[in-house]
Structures are given as C-alpha cells and as structure tokens.
Amino acid sequence: MAVLGERAVVLGASMAGMLAARVAAEHYRSVVVVDRDIPPARPVHRRGVPQAAHGHVLQAGGVAILDELLPGVLAEMVADGAPVWSDGDLGRVYVEYGGHRFLRSGCLPNPVAAYMPSRPFLDWHVLKRLSALSNVTVLSGHDVVGLTSSPDRRRVTGVLVARRGATEAATELDADLVIDASGRGSRAPVFLDDLGYGRPREDELTVNLCYTSQWLRIPAGAIHEHMVATFPKPGETTTVALLNHENGTWLMTVGVMAGNAPVEDFAGMLRLARRRLPRHLLEVLESAAPVGNTAHYRTPSSRWRRYDEMHRRPQGFIVTGDAVCSFNPIYGQGMTVAALEALALQRCLRGGDQDLPRRFFRAASKVVRVAWRNAVSADLSLPEIEGERTVGMRINNKFADMVLTAVETDLVVNSQFFRVLSMLDSPARLMRPSILARVARANFARPQRVPDREVALAS
C-alpha cells in the first residue's frame, strides 16, 4: 500500500475509531488512537462507551467487514465462547417488527451468520487485535481539547491532548490525518467553527428513547432461541430484547420511546415484557436470577451532522461513526454503519489523500443515507413520534407493511427481509419482481390472524 504520511491520529477507541485506525494503518507509518479510557485487561464495560451496557447486535453486513479487516477475529470470539446463529433455523429467533411476527418455522434458504458477542466482549477482542499491529498505538487516559492547523487554517495539522485529571498543559500531537470517531458527543462542530468553517447542518428526529438493561442468569437449555426482539408498533412504543451472549450469559434490554416514563428496575422490565413476549419466554424470565444492577441510558434523538453538505472543509480532518450520525439504537445499525464507513475510507485512501475530506464525506453519506431512511421511516410509522411525513415516506411505509405481512408466512420473503435488516442487501432487493409477486400474493390472501393465546396479558 502507498504510504500517504507519517502519522494518523484517531479520536476515540469506539468501534468506528478502531476500524478507521485499522484502515489508516495501511497508509500511515504510525497510527495513534487517543482514548479517555484505560484499556481493560478483560472484557468489561468501559465508562467511555456508556451504551455498551445494553443490547447490541453486529449485523451480518458488519460481520463480513470485521473479518475482512481483522482476519480471524470472529473465530477467536467463537473460541472464547461467543454464540453463532448460522443455520437459518427460524425457531431460534423470535422477532416482531412493526406489529408483524416473523415466521417461526423452517430454515432460511440463504441464511446469514449472526454472531452474538456482548458489546464489551466484541470491543475487547477488536482492540486487542488492533493493538497488536506494529504501527498502531493506543494513547489511553487522554482527552482531546482542540485541533491544530496551518497558519492559513486550510489544513488540520494535529490535535491537542491532555491527560485526564492532570494539571499540566495540553501537548500537541502532529498528524497528517485526524479522524474524529469520538461518538455522539463529538466536538468536531465546535473545532471547525473555531477554525472559521462554521458548523454542519443537522438533520434530527426526536424519539426520546430510554433504555434499561439487566444481565440474567438463566439455566442452560431453558430458552431455545438465540435472540428475541420485539420492536415498537403503533400504540405500543416499547421494545424488548433478550440476547444470548458469550459463555451462556444473557442480557435483557427494554426501551420506551416518545417521552414515556423509563423502566426503573427488573420488576418493571418484567411488567413491560408481559405485554410483548409469549408465555414460554416469560416463564423463564420470571424465574431468572438478575446479575448485578440494572443499567440505564437515554437517547433524545436520531441526529445526522451533514458534513457532506459543507461548502468548505479543512484538509487532513474527517469525522466518522456516531460523530457523524447517531441512529435510534433499537434498530442495531450503528456498528455496521461504522464498518461500512471504514470500507469507504479504505477505498478513498487507496486513491490517495488529495481532497480526502470531500471524497470521504460523499462516500460515507451514501452509506448513512440508507440506514437513516430506514430508521427514520420506521420511527415515523409510529403516530406517537412527531415529525414530517412526506408522501414518499408514507408510500414507503405502506410498502414496508405489505412486505412485513408477507414475512409472517413466506419463507423466501422472510429470507430477503433478513438480509436487508442485516445490511447485507440494499432495500431495493425487495423490489425484485419475484419478491413483489410473493408480497402481493401474501397480502391478497390476507389470512385472518389467529389470536395469539401464548402472549401473556399485562398484569
């Protein structure tokens, strides 16, 4: 690979930051990842990743990229106890999306591999592999307090870093490329404004999501499913997820949206679950043993900072991951979008560093736009969420509802929808004539749904 410079600096050891650092290591003699956390000796929750205490899913689209950038990391996680759902057996997943329950029998004709590590477990393995690269260094326990630039401010030349809790002045770290992957709280808009470039416009949809999560001890074999996920639907802006993670551990996450009161404890989680889950799962949860304390997290909105639309940008500075776009996390898109952005960065760097910010932001926006439309459309299908519903969006949501009706009974449509949901295929794949014919047939038949006698009533 062509060497483009002496040093790249990445702000934040987030998933986006780690994958961007891996790509940058191909083209810069050294890469420094600046992070406020001290790297843990084992997979544990880091303060700098508050959302890591909650349910996470690395979609199949992200899985493929992870194994491409860090060959063998998936096998390492499996060897260390991470479960995998790869046989396509629909009896191993329980999914309700938009009020439609996915088919529960049969096997997907084109199954996707779903790896099920917890977020701390995944982060730890990725960081370990990244740190093993000879030209990558993690500068832990430091904050980034500003950018440095050339006298004409046309190029970012480095960052100012300060040790956390220390009193000494910030020190300058020179860089040919600075990559901000510091998450939703990124100060990049402030830094750019200070350099005279202004701030990016923001697209935002308020969702007022509150998460509550609890680790559980569940006897081996008590639950047949690998993953349980019920998403919001009109009149029920709640979500419940139950994930089988490494070495037989289980994590339960519930969420409420649209300003509803957050769930405070495990008893409250069970009350919510009784509205959404079938009896066979509730019976296990009622007797499960909580491990540790409940964790809480709030996300006020989905927000997309439109760096791609800025007319002027300094050279030598790009932004990625949640620092660009933070989605409603219930749809599990964030880490996979970060992986897709890393691939976009890889393609851009292989074309050189000339006009890199413009090229990267344009390429990344194509990745973000698909995920943004999917998440925002899903949220605005709920009357409880306030926002503009364009004619195009209403048509899209009507079509999505028709596809989901087919997902209830048609194995082929089910398989294609899983691939779209897993970010392996574009939503346009659902518009193929063979899929449209199946969707039309399922909706024309309109079978009367049998009342679900398994779902428990709210207490």
Side-chain angles (χ1 to χ4, degrees):
M1 297 294 179
V3 175
L4 301 178
E6 291 297 320
R7 178 190 289 159
V9 173
V10 179
L11 315 184
S14 61
M15 185 58 62
M18 290 189 288
L19 296 182
R22 161 62 186 83
V23 168
E26 298 176 0
H27 297 280
Y28 294 85
R29 288 194 171 89
S30 69
V31 177
V32 178
V33 181
V34 182
D35 195 63
R36 44 175 68 181
D37 289 332
I38 303 299
R42 57 188 180 86
V44 294
H45 176 232
R46 291 189 289 149
R47 289 186 60 187
V49 191
Q51 69 273 28
H54 305 276
H56 278 74
V57 175
L58 179 64
Q59 304 290 0
V63 166
I65 296 169
L66 194 66
D67 210 34
E68 177 183 340
L69 296 179
L70 299 168
V73 69
L74 297 176
E76 289 178 7
M77 287 192 291
V78 172
D80 285 347
V84 186
W85 175 60
S86 58
D87 60 5
D89 179 4
L90 291 174
R92 305 306 298 272
V93 293
Y94 182 95
V95 179
E96 183 188 293
Y97 197 100
H100 298 268
R101 191 165 311 139
F102 284 27
L103 194 62
R104 294 274 292 146
S105 61
C107 287
L108 297 175
N110 191 13
V112 299
Y115 290 76
M116 305 294 292
S118 68
R119 179 64 186 271
F121 189 87
L122 174 62
D123 279 1
W124 186 80
H125 279 84
V126 172
L127 184 58
K128 184 176 70 168
R129 290 293 301 274
L130 180 69
S131 301
L133 298 178
S134 60
N135 63 335
V136 175
T137 303
V138 178
L139 180 62
S140 58
H142 282 72
D143 287 316
V144 176
V145 297
L147 301 178
T148 60
S149 70
S150 59
D152 61 6
R153 298 188 174 185
R154 291 184 178 179
R155 171 172 286 277
V156 169
T157 58
V159 296
L160 296 172
V161 298
R163 186 181 299 277
R164 304 208 81 194
T167 57
E168 64 261 25
T171 58
E172 183 175 343
L173 192 61
D174 293 335
D176 298 290
L177 175 64
V178 175
I179 304 172
D180 186 342
S182 56
R184 185 183 176 93
S186 163
R187 297 180 63 199
V190 176
F191 295 156
L192 290 175
D193 201 27
D194 289 344
L195 290 174
Y197 290 90
R199 301 186 182 207
R201 182 180 71 81
E202 294 184 357
D203 293 334
E204 190 167 25
L205 179 67
T206 299
V207 295
N208 288 321
L209 171 70
C210 298
Y211 260 176
T212 305
S213 292
Q214 176 69 63
W215 285 96
L216 300 173
R217 185 176 296 111
I218 294 175
I223 295 179
H224 180 68
E225 291 84 355
H226 274 302
M227 178 183 70
V228 175
T230 65
F231 294 88
K233 58 185 178 180
E236 182 66 84
T237 57
T238 62
T239 186
V240 178
L242 182 64
L243 302 174
N244 177 23
H245 285 318
E246 57 274 3
N247 300 312
T249 57
W250 289 86
L251 179 64
M252 182 179 180
T253 294
V254 304
V256 297
M257 291 171 59
N260 290 302
V263 176
E264 297 294 336
D265 52 24
F266 184 53
M269 296 173 72
L270 289 176
R271 285 194 295 271
L272 193 155
R274 291 185 192 111
R275 306 208 307 254
R276 304 302 311 269
L277 298 184
R279 290 189 183 279
H280 77 279
L281 293 171
L282 285 171
E283 289 173 357
V284 176
L285 292 175
E286 296 280 3
S287 59
V291 178
N293 299 320
T294 54
H296 304 273
Y297 185 69
R298 291 175 180 264
T299 298
S301 62
S302 297
R303 185 176 64 194
W304 184 5
R305 289 171 169 158
R306 301 305 303 268
Y307 292 103
D308 58 304
E309 293 183 347
M310 294 184 72
H311 297 298
R312 297 173 57 247
R313 312 173 187 86
Q315 295 301 307
F317 181 67
I318 62 173
V319 189
T320 189
D322 281 0
V324 173
C325 189
S326 53
F327 306 91
N328 184 337
I330 67 173
Y331 304 114
Q333 298 174 304
M335 290 192 295
T336 302
V337 168
L340 290 165
E341 288 176 316
L343 277 193
L345 177 61
Q346 185 181 61
R347 290 191 294 269
C348 288
L349 289 175
R350 287 176 177 174
D353 61 355
Q354 185 71 28
D355 199 21
L356 177 64
R358 182 190 63 82
R359 292 188 293 116
F360 171 73
F361 286 131
R362 177 178 293 180
S365 70
K366 295 177 182 178
V367 172
V368 172
R369 184 172 291 110
V370 174
W372 176 263
R373 286 177 177 171
N374 289 345
V376 169
S377 293
D379 285 335
L380 288 177
S381 70
L382 308 172
E384 296 85 355
I385 300 297
E386 295 183 4
E388 180 186 1
R389 293 162 173 84
T390 64
V391 173
M393 184 176 294
R394 291 197 295 269
I395 293 173
N396 179 75
N397 282 344
K398 177 61 177 176
F399 175 68
D401 191 68
M402 293 175 67
V403 171
L404 287 166
T405 296
V407 162
E408 295 181 354
T409 57
D410 190 296
L411 194 61
V412 174
V413 179
N414 208 301
S415 179
Q416 183 59 74
F417 191 79
F418 257 116
R419 292 185 64 82
V420 171
L421 203 61
S422 301
M423 303 183 75
L424 282 170
D425 288 349
S426 163
R429 298 284 290 176
L430 293 167
M431 300 293 292
R432 287 180 299 157
S434 60
I435 298 295
L436 288 176
R438 289 177 172 273
V439 169
R441 218 164 22 240
N443 280 266
F444 180 76
R446 289 194 301 272
Q448 294 295 316
R449 182 178 296 178
V450 177
D452 186 358
R453 302 181 186 279
E454 289 189 346
V455 176
L457 298 176
S459 60

